[in-house]
Amino acid sequence: MAIKKDLSIEYLGVKFENPFCLSSSPVGSNYEMCSKALEAGWGGVVYKTVGIFIADECSPRFDNGNKEGTPWIGFKNMEQISDKPLEKNLEMMSKLKKDYPNKVLIASIMGSNEEEWAKLAKLVTEAGADMIECNFSCPQMTSHAMGSDVGQNPELVKKYSKIVSEATHIPVIAKMTPNIGNMEIPAIAAIEGGAHSISAINTIKSITNLDLDHLTAMPVVNGKSSISGYSGAACKPIALRFIAQMKQHPKLKDVEISGMGGIETWRDAAEFIMLGCRNLQVTTAIMQYGYRIVEDMISGLSYFMEEKGFNSLDEMVGIALPNIIPAEELDRDFKIIPKIDDEKCVGCGRCYISCFDGAHQAIDWDEEKRRPVINDNCVGCHLCLNICPVQGCITPGEVKFKEGREPHDVIFKTKYE
């Protein structure tokens, strides 16, 4: 019998039936798309960013990163905010809230000056939005008065957050750009300006591939191309890093965060929640697999909670943060020597080659048996474990303490998936 846990959670005082939302993007750019997503089980939608500005889009506008036959490890898009008139978008938002009163509607807005931000905040509030997300982060706007150019300027982030917060009574979220070294700076500015929450991360400025025929980046637009936003699974490590750093900052540790950036599976969702996110946003995975992925995420997260004994998502929020510590505080007294299971080994030799050319020459090769043998050069880096194509063949083994170090209990991972 399928397990379905209660995944409801409050974010900014608003109850979501589950933490999964469409992020502001092509997957939620009109009534029909948002309606279909909500019917599929998403807890809410962040409607595609609206503005006074109406985008004039190029064609084509997408490309994907790949490796060794695996497509879509990352995805580049050159799309801006909504290309529909503001009045039409407000009409569709209003209808969504009327038809789905128990789902959460978040209006993403982007202005180019004080008057536009205030006007947009007022209009989407009147349209029935439950929250406002200020888009300070789109990296491919054709105006430098909007998007990530604003998000990289803490003074503008603070000013526009203040203007929006004063123009509405509903919660305000500031969406951060990752195209910056220290996200805490604009995030603190947003909160000081009056924003109630941070969402992160938007897409990363990128060139995915060069076209060797036209000598420009992909996608090729009449022989030219541009730097623009990169999303998808390849971005998850960067998103998790920014979120962890914000949640560990004294001025941001109590600020609620909506996380995004490479969420494709229930496991990704669990990771973002355990680093402190109370809400999750998804786009790129939907563009690959459709809205139905929410069913898999709900099911997978339910089974995980049942297995680990979590009764609610609240019990999971931020639970991993205390274990993310500065590099100088890591225990460096020991090394864990890998253990090779000869029965599972297929004799491919990849561990031997990688260790010899890329690590510490700590694996000898038994030509007769076609099996790797770990020697005394091993420093416990575990490159071999990471490169081995056979699950469970190479695992952490003996713990050896460095000379002069006091032996003590060591917690380490024994099962890799």
Side-chain angles (χ1 to χ4, degrees):
M1 183 177 177
I3 296 173
K4 189 171 183 180
K5 302 282 283 190
D6 177 5
L7 300 184
S8 64
I9 188 168
E10 281 199 5
Y11 171 54
L12 296 177
V14 177
K15 185 175 181 179
F16 289 69
E17 66 179 55
N18 64 58
F20 302 114
C21 290
L22 310 186
S23 53
S24 168
S25 70
V27 302
S29 59
N30 61 44
Y31 174 87
E32 288 74 19
M33 298 177 83
C34 294
S35 172
K36 189 177 177 182
L38 295 175
E39 294 287 350
W42 293 81
V45 298
V46 185
Y47 194 93
K48 185 174 172 69
T49 305
V50 301
I52 309 301
F53 171 91
I54 297 177
D56 183 15
E57 301 290 8
C58 61
S59 175
R61 66 192 71 161
F62 300 140
D63 188 40
N64 73 84
N66 54 71
K67 183 180 185 300
E68 295 167 355
T70 303
W72 282 75
I73 58 171
F75 179 68
K76 177 184 177 184
N77 92 85
M78 298 170 68
E79 199 163 296
Q80 305 176 83
I81 66 174
S82 178
D83 58 358
K84 299 177 182 58
L86 176 60
E87 295 72 21
K88 182 66 176 174
N89 282 319
L90 293 171
E91 180 184 317
M92 288 191 279
M93 280 190 224
S94 183
K95 182 171 171 52
L96 274 171
K97 194 58 200 175
K98 180 181 177 184
D99 292 349
Y100 299 94
N102 296 324
K103 300 281 188 176
V104 181
L105 172 65
I106 303 174
S108 175
I109 63 173
M110 182 190 291
S112 64
N113 55 46
E114 293 91 333
E115 291 74 25
E116 288 188 6
W117 282 104
K119 179 179 180 180
L120 290 166
K122 183 180 178 185
L123 289 175
V124 297
T125 302
E126 293 172 351
D130 297 295
M131 303 177 186
I132 294 174
E133 183 181 78
C134 299
N135 187 338
F136 297 136
S137 44
C138 178
Q140 52 259 3
M141 296 303 295
T142 53
S143 166
H144 294 291
M146 297 186 283
S148 62
D149 286 351
V150 172
Q152 292 168 331
N153 184 328
E155 291 182 7
L156 286 178
V157 169
K158 183 175 182 177
K159 180 170 73 171
Y160 292 149
S161 294
K162 184 173 189 294
I163 288 169
V164 171
S165 300
E166 291 176 348
T168 184
H169 65 278
I170 58 178
V172 174
I173 308 160
K175 187 172 183 178
M176 296 288 106
T177 174
N179 301 299
I180 191 169
N182 187 332
M183 191 176 286
E184 297 98 295
I185 295 173
I188 291 170
I191 299 301
E192 289 178 347
H196 305 91
S197 173
I198 299 298
S199 58
I201 62 172
N202 205 323
T203 55
I204 303 164
K205 286 185 177 182
S206 68
I207 293 176
T208 43
N209 301 288
L210 280 191
D211 181 82
L212 302 184
D213 294 321
H214 297 91
L215 302 179
T216 186
M218 289 288 290
V220 179
V221 182
N222 192 18
K224 307 290 183 184
S225 193
S226 292
I227 291 170
S228 63
Y230 194 55
S231 61
C235 300
K236 189 183 81 171
I238 300 167
L240 293 177
R241 164 242 165 168
F242 276 123
I243 288 166
Q245 287 183 316
M246 287 193 289
K247 289 299 293 183
Q248 292 181 326
H249 193 285
K251 291 187 176 180
L252 297 171
K253 62 183 177 63
D254 297 324
V255 174
E256 296 185 5
I257 289 185
S258 176
M260 74 198 86
I263 298 174
E264 290 189 350
T265 67
W266 69 264
R267 185 187 181 111
D268 299 328
E271 293 174 16
F272 276 75
I273 292 169
M274 288 179 168
L275 284 182
C277 296
R278 300 189 65 83
N279 179 260
L280 305 170
Q281 299 186 30
V282 181
T283 280
T284 308
I286 296 172
M287 297 179 86
Q288 287 180 271
Y289 306 113
Y291 298 122
R292 59 158 294 279
I293 63 169
V294 74
E295 298 172 16
D296 297 336
M297 292 195 288
I298 290 172
S299 175
L301 200 52
S302 294
Y303 274 95
F304 174 74
M305 292 171 66
E306 181 71 14
E307 179 184 335
K308 298 295 184 183
F310 291 114
N311 294 310
S312 70
L313 290 181
D314 280 302
E315 295 177 10
M316 294 171 57
V317 174
I319 198 171
L321 284 169
N323 298 321
I324 309 293
I325 61 175
E328 62 270 26
E329 295 180 15
L330 286 173
D331 184 348
R332 298 172 187 272
D333 288 343
F334 61 88
K335 56 184 178 182
I336 301 175
I337 307 302
K339 178 175 61 180
I340 300 174
D341 186 334
D342 282 349
E343 295 297 319
K344 292 183 178 178
C345 179
V346 296
C348 68
R350 289 187 64 183
C351 60
Y352 165 72
I353 293 170
S354 290
C355 184
F356 195 88
D357 291 353
H360 297 271
Q361 303 78 52
I363 295 179
D364 298 323
W365 184 248
D366 186 327
E367 290 283 356
E368 184 177 344
K369 296 180 180 177
R370 289 197 58 78
R371 289 291 182 271
V373 179
I374 295 175
N375 64 40
D376 290 341
N377 288 338
C378 183
V379 298
C381 72
H382 291 194
L383 174 62
C384 55
L385 187 157
N386 281 275
I387 204 73
C388 180
V390 181
Q391 188 172 352
C393 175
I394 304 180
T395 54
E398 181 185 5
V399 177
K400 287 187 176 180
F401 284 87
K402 297 175 183 175
E403 188 175 353
R405 310 293 177 90
E406 186 69 26
H408 54 267
D409 291 338
V410 174
I411 299 170
F412 61 99
K413 186 174 176 64
T414 57
K415 182 182 176 184
Y416 284 76
E417 300 165 9

